């Protein structure tokens, strides 16, 4: 482990971590073959491609939970983004229907914010435009709809659409949305902590909620979006560093490996 954070292993024993890791690796290999099988119908190949993408993300998070070095996770992230990118061409519903990665759906919102967070936190900010390009396909369902999301995009890219002060998913994201638009920086830590306190309960509609109770399908509970906001807005996280779902070591690693933004003098970076 790059940083000693014993919370990473909470709810996860070593045997389960190894078994689940092996299962996911085998499933990814299996569905990768199916997604490229020209004899299968497009729907079946698309379903397989989605499994590859979602399982690849689960595997990355599982390995973070199991204590793998952050440097190794950073090397793995591009393959996760590639898996989602291979799925996107299959995600082609009728114009009146939302797409799988449409942020009006809570699980899609979580997927997209996690992917953006991991790109930034694991040192792959160059992959952020790729993630955002997926949303441009169904732009009317995803862009200019949510204050928190657009504020994050603005910080990451310098360009955002103004949705006003509207939060798509009040539970659990309202406090984090307030944090990014707070007029006074000193108000932000308490709002992020409030978000963390309500994070797990607010995720009850997500398929992985409650998986720690029987270990089946469990890969970790982490509010990566809280770490992303903390790093992007330079928030003092001393009041919530030890929170159960806050990926402290990942935020620390991101700050230590922060890349210099265009036009900024490296000597000014702390």
């Amino acid at each position: 482990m790059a940083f000693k954070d014993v919370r990473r292993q909470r709810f996860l024993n070593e045997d389960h971590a190894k078994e689940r890791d092996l299962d996911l690796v085998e499933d990814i290999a299996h569905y990768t073959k199916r997604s490229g099988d020209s004899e299968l119908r497009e729907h079946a190949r698309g379903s397989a491609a989605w499994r590859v993408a979602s399982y690849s993300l689960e595997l990355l998070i599982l390995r973070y939970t199991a204590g793998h070095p952050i440097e190794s996770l950073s090397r793995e992230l591009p393959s996760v983004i590639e898996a989602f990118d291979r799925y996107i061409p299959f995600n082609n519903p009728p114009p009146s229907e939302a797409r799988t990665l449409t942020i009006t759906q809570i699980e899609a919102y979580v997927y997209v914010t996690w992917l953006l967070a991991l790109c930034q936190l694991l040192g792959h900010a160059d992959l952020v435009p790729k993630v955002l390009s997926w949303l441009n396909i169904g732009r009317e369902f995803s862009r200019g709809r949510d204050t928190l999301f657009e504020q994050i995009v603005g910080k990451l890219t310098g360009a955002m659409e103004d949705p006003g002060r509207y939060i798509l998913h009040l539970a659990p994201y309202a406090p984090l949305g307030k944090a990014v638009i707070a007029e006074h920086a000193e108000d932000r830590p308490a709002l992020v902590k409030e978000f963390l306190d309500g994070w797990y309960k607010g995720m009850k509609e997500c398929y992985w909620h409650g998986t720690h109770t029987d270990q089946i399908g469990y890969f970790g509970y982490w509010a990566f979006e809280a770490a992303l906001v903390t790093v992007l807005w330079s928030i003092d996280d001393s009041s919530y560093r030890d929170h159960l779902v806050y990926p402290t070591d990942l935020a620390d690693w991101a700050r230590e490996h922060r890349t210099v933004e265009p036009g900024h003098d490296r000597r000014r970076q702390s």
Side-chain angles (χ1 to χ4, degrees):
M1 294 169 58
F3 292 82
K4 293 182 178 180
D5 185 349
V6 295
R7 295 169 308 132
R8 284 222 227 159
Q9 285 83 17
R10 189 174 178 86
F11 305 130
L12 185 69
N13 63 58
E14 185 176 355
D15 288 341
H16 170 75
K18 291 180 178 179
E19 181 180 356
R20 184 60 182 156
D21 190 298
L22 180 60
D23 287 345
L24 285 170
V25 169
E26 292 179 346
D27 285 344
I28 290 169
H30 171 72
Y31 286 108
T32 296
K33 290 181 180 179
R34 285 184 61 84
S35 67
D37 187 345
S38 60
E39 295 185 1
L40 294 177
R41 293 184 177 182
E42 183 175 5
H43 176 75
R45 289 187 289 117
S47 178
W50 172 249
R51 287 177 181 268
V52 173
S54 58
Y55 288 165
S56 295
L57 179 58
E58 287 184 20
L59 180 60
L60 182 75
I61 298 173
L62 174 71
R63 288 176 174 175
Y64 172 73
T65 306
H68 287 221
I70 293 178
E71 289 80 2
S72 70
L73 302 176
S74 177
R75 291 191 293 270
E76 292 177 26
L77 180 64
S79 65
V80 176
I81 302 302
E82 289 173 10
F84 276 91
D85 199 45
R86 287 193 296 270
Y87 161 72
I88 292 301
F90 292 105
N91 186 21
N92 188 32
S96 61
E97 296 181 13
R99 297 168 184 272
T100 304
L101 290 179
T102 298
I103 67 170
T104 50
Q105 305 169 54
I106 180 63
E107 282 196 349
Y109 191 99
V110 173
Y111 266 122
V112 174
T113 53
W114 279 1
L115 290 170
L116 290 175
L118 291 169
C119 285
Q120 184 69 23
L121 298 173
L122 289 174
H124 289 283
D126 57 305
L127 294 177
V128 165
K130 174 63 69 178
V131 176
L132 293 176
S133 73
W134 306 333
L135 304 187
N136 288 335
I137 301 172
R139 192 178 187 86
E140 68 275 20
F141 294 106
S142 296
R143 297 305 309 273
R145 303 292 297 271
D146 181 83
T147 298
L148 172 59
F149 186 79
E150 291 297 336
Q151 289 287 339
I152 288 173
V153 171
K155 279 285 189 179
L156 291 173
T157 68
M160 60 174 282
E161 298 182 13
D162 184 10
R165 297 196 170 195
Y166 186 76
I167 299 293
L168 283 169
H169 308 289
L170 291 175
Y173 286 104
L176 198 61
K178 293 178 182 177
V180 300
I181 61 174
E183 294 184 8
H184 305 291
E186 59 267 26
D187 295 334
R188 290 176 182 146
L191 289 166
V192 177
K193 185 177 185 303
E194 181 183 348
F195 166 69
L196 291 168
D197 288 343
W199 182 86
Y200 178 73
K201 183 178 180 180
M203 294 294 180
K204 61 183 178 181
E205 293 183 25
C206 294
Y207 73 93
W208 42 263
H209 188 274
T211 52
H212 69 285
T213 58
D214 57 14
Q215 292 280 302
I216 298 175
Y218 176 71
F219 51 86
Y221 296 144
W222 300 105
F224 296 113
E225 54 273 70
L228 176 64
V229 166
T230 296
V231 171
L232 290 179
W233 272 264
S234 300
I235 300 173
D236 177 7
D237 63 2
S238 58
S239 63
Y240 54 83
R241 285 182 59 80
D242 295 329
H243 199 287
L244 184 62
V245 300
Y246 180 66
T248 308
D249 53 352
L250 187 54
D252 289 345
W253 191 90
R255 282 188 288 253
E256 290 188 8
H257 295 79
R258 186 193 295 268
T259 56
V260 180
E261 298 176 4
H264 284 215
D265 189 335
R266 180 179 294 276
R267 293 170 295 180
R268 295 180 183 177
Q269 304 296 313
S270 57

